[in-house]
């Protein structure tokens, strides 16, 4: 990789936000930039250029953050580094004006595309054709681009998008965001596995019975009818968040803890995923949501069974479940170990389960069997050992803060490479082919989802963890 791009820059950075008047910028980006500004004293280093179509002054623009950023003198100072720049970024002439402005400062640049993914191809092509993929001084400054998911809507469109972006930007300039990769408990899977020997030695089909990943949500589509009805659970959450977590959990050890080795191993893993079965669900009342087609077959829930076609994970069932309007909000990964065949003790004989807790608890839990403290014969029951972040560390940084800092510092471990995206789509396309035209199973709001999921688990004699 180009090491120049990795050095923490001493130059100033123009942080250019496309779609600065949108929801993402309002709720996530600006509050995260403000926190970074406070923590890292960005004052002299970062200038934020907020791009939107409507004409307004910078003073008017920043007022919109009064509800997401608490009032303080620091906020007033932060507002001073924000400049609003009216610009229709689908128009080449307007982008040329942006280029002139940026060239005059000759700083490093980070373009954050907080815009609908549908217009990525046009905006990226325009950036490239006016030369904004380069800086005016390529030796001491850099130009990077951050994109939000979904990256394409299937394999074909993601390939096209990758082609467009890679024709002007190098891979080490592209930061594809999956905010799950900015979550501390997800990042900790690397260290849990590769800094300790205890579990890595039993991380295979000899010892692991099955793996279950759940991203369960108790809220609905929250006014995003138009987006969701053309997306669905498989593309919105499974293709990215779930598969990224699975790849980190099951990939082989990278040669070094360096982005390209890690991405290589994740990619190899993604390529070996095999689709086995899927339950498609839709919550009751979904088709009456605003901007949702009344006869929509879109899934708001999926339970997918996979396998990994390699020696390490031979025949280990992988079960991934995600959905909206379920009875709880919980994200966790369970690695269910094989049962101890010796039956020396009375009482339970449940599997040991290692859980990575991502939400609402953050930490790791190990479910074991332990002796019941009685006078009677030895008898065992379920016990658990729990590591909670809050017992060891203070407040954690938000995913966006961490990912933004990574990008500023040129660190790409927590971003996805083009081939990873494409290989995730290969799998998702094969699932889509199976379920696209299927009528979804309707489940009541605030329930556990379709009852059929239990049958899917039982097929492999898996139990709900
Ligand atoms: C987003 C999806 O990527 O992830 C949302 O678009 C989903 O539909 C969200 O609610 C879940 O993220 P988190 O961090 O709240 O679990």
């Amino acid at each position: 990789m180009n090491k120049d791009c990795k050095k923490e820059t001493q130059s100033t950075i123009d942080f250019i936000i496309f779609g600065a008047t949108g929801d993402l910028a309002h709720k996530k980006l600006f509050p995260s930039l403000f926190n970074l500004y406070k923590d890292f004293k960005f004052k002299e280093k970062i200038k934020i250029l907020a791009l939107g179509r409507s004409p307004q002054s910078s003073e008017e623009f920043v007022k919109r953050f009064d509800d997401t950023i608490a009032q303080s003198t620091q906020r007033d100072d932060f507002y001073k580094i924000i400049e609003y720049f009216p610009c229709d970024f689908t128009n080449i002439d307007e982008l040329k004006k942006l280029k002139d402005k940026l060239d005059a400062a000759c700083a490093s640049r980070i373009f954050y595309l907080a815009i609908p993914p549908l217009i990525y191809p046009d905006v990226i092509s325009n950036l490239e054709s006016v030369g904004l993929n380069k800086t005016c001084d390529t030796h001491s400054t850099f130009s990077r681009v951050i994109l939000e998911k979904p990256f394409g809507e299937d394999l074909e469109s993601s390939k096209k998008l990758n082609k467009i972006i890679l024709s002007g930007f190098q891979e080490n300039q592209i930061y594809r965001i999956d905010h799950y990769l900015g979550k501390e408990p997800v990042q900790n899977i690397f260290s849990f596995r590769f800094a300790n020997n205890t579990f890595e030695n039993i991380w295979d089909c000899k010892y692991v019975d099955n793996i279950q990943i759940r991203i369960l949500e108790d809220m609905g589509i929250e006014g995003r009818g138009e987006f969701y009805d053309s997306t669905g659970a498989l593309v919105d959450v499974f293709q990215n968040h779930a598969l990224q977590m699975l790849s980190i959990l099951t990939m082989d050890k990278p040669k070094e803890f360096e982005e390209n080795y890690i991405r290589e191993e994740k990619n190899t893993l993604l390529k070996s995923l095999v689709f086995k079965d899927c339950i498609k669900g839709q919550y009751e009342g979904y088709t009456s949501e605003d901007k949702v087609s009344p006869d929509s077959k879109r899934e708001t829930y999926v339970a997918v069974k996979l396998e990994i076609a390699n020696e390490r994970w031979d025949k280990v069932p992988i079960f991934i479940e995600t959905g909206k309007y379920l009875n709880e909000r919980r994200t966790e990964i369970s690695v269910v170990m094989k049962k101890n065949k010796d039956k020396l003790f009375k009482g339970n004989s449940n599997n040991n389960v290692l859980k990575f807790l991502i939400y609402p608890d953050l930490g790791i839990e190990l479910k074991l069997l332990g002796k019941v403290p009685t006078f009677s014969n030895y008898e065992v029951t379920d016990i658990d050992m729990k590591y909670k972040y809050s017992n060891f560390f203070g407040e954690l940084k938000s995913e966006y803060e961490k990912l933004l800092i990574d990008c500023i510092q040129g660190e790409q471990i927590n971003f996805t490479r083009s081939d990873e995206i494409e290989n995730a789509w290969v799998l998702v396309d094969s699932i889509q082919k199976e379920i696209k035209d299927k009528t979804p199973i309707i489940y009541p709001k605030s329930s556990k989802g379709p009852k059929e999921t239990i049958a899917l688990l039982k097929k492999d004699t898996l139990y709900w963890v």
Side-chain angles (χ1 to χ4, degrees):
M1 79 167 300
N2 176 359
K3 286 289 173 197
D4 283 349
C5 289
K6 265 212 94 137
K7 271 188 239 154
E8 192 183 349
T9 179
Q10 293 308 312
S11 73
T12 48
I13 299 175
D14 281 326
F15 198 95
I16 306 116
I17 302 178
F18 287 65
T21 51
D23 227 35
L24 176 76
H26 184 217
K27 289 192 188 141
K28 301 269 188 196
L29 270 181
F30 279 90
S32 303
L33 284 166
F34 173 61
N35 288 339
L36 292 177
Y37 171 81
K38 281 191 305 185
D39 289 354
F40 293 94
K41 308 272 176 296
F42 270 171
K43 270 184 202 108
E44 291 80 31
K45 284 191 114 187
I46 299 239
K47 266 193 71 182
I48 300 173
L49 206 57
L51 268 54
R53 286 170 205 247
S54 54
Q56 58 187 304
S57 67
S58 300
E59 290 73 26
E60 277 170 310
F61 172 76
V62 294
K63 278 205 194 94
R64 68 181 58 229
F65 304 114
D66 285 0
D67 65 336
T68 44
I69 303 176
Q71 211 275 316
S72 66
T73 52
Q74 278 174 314
R75 182 179 81 178
D76 298 338
D77 289 343
F78 174 64
Y79 281 174
K80 288 183 198 142
I81 67 164
I82 302 173
E83 179 182 345
Y84 182 77
F85 187 76
C87 176
D88 173 0
F89 30 80
T90 54
N91 178 321
I92 292 266
D93 291 330
E94 298 213 9
L95 278 184
K96 280 186 186 148
K97 283 189 213 149
L98 174 68
K99 179 171 170 9
D100 291 343
K101 183 175 175 59
L102 294 177
D103 281 355
C106 198
S108 290
R109 14 187 109 144
I110 296 178
F111 299 101
Y112 198 115
L113 304 194
I115 52 176
L118 261 181
I119 60 170
Y120 281 172
D122 287 346
V123 175
I124 293 166
S125 303
N126 288 350
L127 280 177
E128 290 170 2
S129 63
V130 299
L132 276 169
N133 49 335
K134 300 193 182 78
T135 50
C136 58
D137 171 4
T138 46
H139 293 294
S140 57
T141 58
F142 59 76
S143 179
R144 295 176 186 151
V145 59
I146 306 182
L147 299 108
E148 280 285 335
K149 62 160 261 283
F151 199 83
E153 53 199 40
D154 53 19
L155 177 61
E156 199 187 325
S157 56
S158 74
K159 275 188 166 170
K160 266 192 205 148
L161 187 54
N162 274 331
K163 202 166 162 200
I164 293 175
I165 192 162
L166 286 165
S167 70
F169 289 88
Q170 312 237 340
E171 191 63 63
N172 64 14
Q173 293 178 278
I174 309 166
Y175 291 72
R176 298 176 190 83
I177 284 217
D178 179 325
H179 77 278
Y180 263 62
L181 298 185
K183 288 184 190 282
E184 202 56 59
V186 174
Q187 296 183 350
N188 187 40
I189 299 173
F190 284 125
S191 19
F192 181 86
R193 290 188 55 196
F194 304 128
N196 304 298
N197 248 344
T198 315
F199 289 95
E200 198 49 27
N201 287 329
I202 53 166
W203 217 243
D204 60 31
C205 58
K206 247 169 93 188
Y207 298 95
V208 174
D209 187 80
N210 67 84
I211 291 172
Q212 304 189 25
I213 297 182
R214 290 195 170 76
I215 304 175
L216 311 178
E217 296 186 280
D218 55 2
M219 58 274 195
I221 55 172
E222 300 183 301
R224 297 193 300 160
E226 199 176 347
F227 162 79
Y228 202 86
D229 210 33
S230 61
T231 311
L234 204 57
V235 170
D236 187 35
V237 169
F238 177 91
Q239 191 269 351
N240 32 74
H241 308 327
L243 291 185
Q244 280 298 318
M245 290 199 290
L246 177 64
S247 61
I248 296 174
L249 186 83
T250 53
M251 68 184 219
D252 281 350
K253 189 176 180 172
K255 220 161 150 194
E256 281 173 36
F257 201 69
E258 194 267 341
E259 57 217 21
N260 277 318
Y261 288 120
I262 292 170
R263 288 162 150 203
E264 209 48 56
E265 293 302 343
K266 277 167 69 193
N267 191 39
T268 306
L269 190 284
L270 286 165
K271 276 197 281 189
S272 54
L273 294 177
V274 183
F275 169 55
K276 289 286 172 186
D277 212 341
C278 177
I279 305 285
K280 171 182 180 179
Q282 187 186 82
Y283 64 77
E284 211 167 15
Y286 170 74
T287 49
S288 319
E289 296 272 15
D290 194 26
K291 300 208 172 119
V292 165
S293 153
D295 50 8
S296 174
K297 288 185 177 170
R298 184 57 69 201
E299 77 287 355
T300 60
Y301 170 100
V302 280
V304 179
K305 205 190 117 183
L306 305 170
E307 275 182 15
I308 302 173
N310 65 19
E311 233 177 89
R312 181 198 272 244
W313 295 111
D314 189 33
K315 306 259 172 358
V316 174
I318 315 283
F319 176 82
I320 299 179
E321 182 186 29
T322 182
K324 301 272 186 202
Y325 263 137
L326 298 170
N327 63 338
E328 59 177 330
R329 183 166 174 208
R330 175 163 61 102
T331 301
E332 62 186 33
I333 301 173
S334 304
V335 180
V336 182
M337 309 311 290
K338 288 203 161 137
K339 272 189 184 175
N340 187 351
K341 290 207 179 92
D342 308 332
K343 186 80 177 94
L344 292 184
F345 304 107
K346 284 199 296 183
N348 286 347
S349 60
N350 288 337
N351 307 54
N352 293 164
V353 183
L354 177 71
K355 281 187 175 212
F356 294 91
L357 309 173
I358 293 153
Y359 189 87
D361 284 345
L362 277 73
I364 294 176
E365 187 180 74
L366 181 58
K367 289 187 168 296
L368 300 164
L369 293 171
K371 181 182 170 294
V372 182
T374 60
F375 291 118
S376 59
N377 288 338
Y378 268 80
E379 182 181 334
V380 291
T381 189
D382 293 330
I383 55 160
D384 53 50
M385 288 158 59
K386 203 160 178 173
Y387 152 57
K388 274 188 162 186
Y389 275 78
S390 50
N391 294 345
F392 285 81
F393 304 104
E395 208 184 314
L396 301 177
K397 298 285 172 218
S398 77
E399 302 112 11
Y400 272 89
E401 283 169 60
K402 284 158 58 94
L403 294 175
L404 289 173
I405 275 291
D406 276 355
C407 177
I408 289 168
Q409 295 182 334
E411 176 56 78
Q412 291 191 300
I413 286 177
N414 301 312
F415 297 85
T416 46
R417 203 168 63 180
S418 53
D419 47 1
E420 286 178 65
I421 300 273
E422 289 176 16
N423 283 310
W425 279 120
V426 172
L427 177 75
V428 169
D429 278 7
S430 72
I431 305 176
Q432 288 284 29
K433 221 168 111 197
E434 288 277 318
I435 70 161
K436 201 165 161 268
D437 300 322
K438 268 196 188 163
T439 305
I441 300 165
I442 306 297
Y443 59 92
K445 280 184 186 169
S446 307
S447 69
K448 277 181 155 233
K451 291 198 176 62
E452 285 73 358
T453 295
I454 302 283
L456 181 73
L457 281 162
K458 278 195 178 151
K459 254 193 219 169
D460 291 298
T461 57
L462 306 188
Y463 68 101
W464 197 286
V465 282

